[in-house]
């Protein structure tokens, strides 16, 4: 399976923080925001990843992430000239995807919790249809929402409903079979002039090829797209890391633990960083691997 990380958009909800810098390059506590969705793809075992952003921001992402080789990845980059909706990422990345299944993740989404890696790897084994997630929220009118039957099978999908019978929002993490780009190409823009991810998911639902996996209380989903949610995400990461002494979404650690890089390669990465807490953490992994 291949991965697409959508790091475009205007970031208008975070203005003026985003006046000269892409939202996904802003810090979430001690790491750039883009590290968090990138780490989700890595935990799923996905090593070929396309980063999509605007013309001005793409060189900065290249400078930050490079070709991914230091983490055992292959990163490619593509320009989305203007925001055209989430399914447009599948069209921009059509050649990159080829005939492979694909995972699409939004660049401002953070996931963390017990059992998450196993859940992601199961999702990445998908070969037919689509798989999305459901996460209980207090205000479903802010999100795309999925309604389920008594056996947790999807019945309907709605985009930001004012009166919803479901409390399950759909986070910005989607797994699709090799037909995703083809189906996205047939979508029509909504009233706001963009392609809607809910419409793409609805096509799979109509074919009865849409699976929904509920994220329980042990998994946190945070959307860092507003000033309040950005601060909440940073506070969450800081609290967990300081309590546990373990980092959230550290690409070097994930690459090492997933077997993408060796202990010697991890040491080289750490020693090249100079004197800082991040380097100290990576070197401690080598002496205390568990």
């Amino acid at each position: 399976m291949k991965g697409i990380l959508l790091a475009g958009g205007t970031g208008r909800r975070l203005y003026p923080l985003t006046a000269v810098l892409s939202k996904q390059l802003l810090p979430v506590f001690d790491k750039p925001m883009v590290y968090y969705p990138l780490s989700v793809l890595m935990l799923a075992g996905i090593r070929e990843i396309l980063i999509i952003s605007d013309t001005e921001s793409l060189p900065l992402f290249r400078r930050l992430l490079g070709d991914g080789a230091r983490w055992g990845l292959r990163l490619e980059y593509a320009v989305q000239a203007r925001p055209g909706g989430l399914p447009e990422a599948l069209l921009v990345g059509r050649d990159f995807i080829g005939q492979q299944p694909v995972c699409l993740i939004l660049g401002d989404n953070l996931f963390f919790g017990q059992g998450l890696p196993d859940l992601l790897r199961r999702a990445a084994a998908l070969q037919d249809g689509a798989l999305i997630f459901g996460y209980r929220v207090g205000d479903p009118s802010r999100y795309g929402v999925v309604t389920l039957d008594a056996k947790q099978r999807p019945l309907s999908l709605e985009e930001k409903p004012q009166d919803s019978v479901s409390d399950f929002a759909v986070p910005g993490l989607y797994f699709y079979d090799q037909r995703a780009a083809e189906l996205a190409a047939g979508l029509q823009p909504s009233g706001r002039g963009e392609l809607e991810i809910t419409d793409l998911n609805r096509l799979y639902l109509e074919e009865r090829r849409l699976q929904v996996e509920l994220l329980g209380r042990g998994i946190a989903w945070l959307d860092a797209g507003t000033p309040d949610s950005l601060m909440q995400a940073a506070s969450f990461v800081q609290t967990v890391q300081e309590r546990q002494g373990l980092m959230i979404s550290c690409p070097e650690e994930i690459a090492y633990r997933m077997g993408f890089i060796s202990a010697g390669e991890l040491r080289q990465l750490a020693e090249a960083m100079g004197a800082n807490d991040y380097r100290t953490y990576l070197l401690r992994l080598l002496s205390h691997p568990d």
Side-chain angles (χ1 to χ4, degrees), residues 3 9 29 93 127 267 270:
F29 186 50
Q127 293 294 323
R267 185 176 297 278

Side-chain angles (χ1 to χ4, degrees), residues 207-222:
E207 295 179 351
R208 296 187 178 181
R209 291 183 173 178
L210 179 69
Q211 303 176 51
V212 179
E213 183 88 31
L214 296 183
L215 301 178
R217 293 188 178 187
I219 295 178
W221 166 50
L222 299 165

Side-chain angles (χ1 to χ4, degrees), residues 1-2 4 90-91 93-103 123-131 174-185 200 204 207 209:
M1 177 171 282
K2 295 187 175 182
I4 294 181
L90 299 169
L91 304 181
R94 196 166 191 170
D95 290 342
F96 168 79
I97 298 169
Q99 295 300 311
Q100 299 294 315
V102 63
C103 173
L126 177 138
Q127 293 294 323
D128 181 66
L131 188 151
Y174 316 92
F175 290 83
Y176 297 112
D177 62 18
Q178 73 280 1
R179 298 180 303 134
E182 177 185 349
L183 293 174
L200 175 60
Y204 282 100
E207 295 179 351
R209 291 183 173 178

Side-chain angles (χ1 to χ4, degrees), residues 146-271:
V146 60
T147 301
L148 306 171
D149 66 13
K151 295 184 178 179
Q152 297 186 353
R153 294 174 298 199
L155 292 174
S156 65
L157 294 160
E158 301 174 88
E159 185 63 29
K160 298 180 180 178
Q162 292 304 306
D163 297 301
S164 176
V165 297
S166 173
D167 294 331
F168 289 106
V170 179
L173 176 62
Y174 316 92
F175 290 83
Y176 297 112
D177 62 18
Q178 73 280 1
R179 298 180 303 134
E182 177 185 349
L183 293 174
L187 296 176
Q188 297 299 315
S190 66
R192 60 179 187 150
E194 296 185 2
L195 304 181
E196 302 292 347
I197 199 71
T198 297
D199 289 339
L200 175 60
N201 294 336
R202 195 175 286 123
L203 292 178
Y204 282 100
L205 174 62
E206 291 170 355
E207 295 179 351
R208 296 187 178 181
R209 291 183 173 178
L210 179 69
Q211 303 176 51
V212 179
E213 183 88 31
L214 296 183
L215 301 178
R217 293 188 178 187
I219 295 178
W221 166 50
L222 299 165
D223 172 355
T226 67
D228 285 346
S229 62
L230 180 62
M231 289 295 293
Q232 289 166 3
S235 178
F236 175 85
V237 172
Q238 179 185 22
T239 299
V240 172
Q241 291 189 171
E242 290 183 353
R243 293 283 182 90
Q244 296 186 347
L246 299 171
M247 278 195 178
I248 294 176
S249 298
C250 172
E252 292 83 0
E253 177 181 8
I254 295 171
Y256 172 55
R257 294 192 184 278
M258 294 286 291
F260 299 168
I261 63 174
S262 67
E265 289 170 321
L266 178 62
R267 185 176 297 278
Q268 288 180 350
L269 291 175
E271 291 178 346

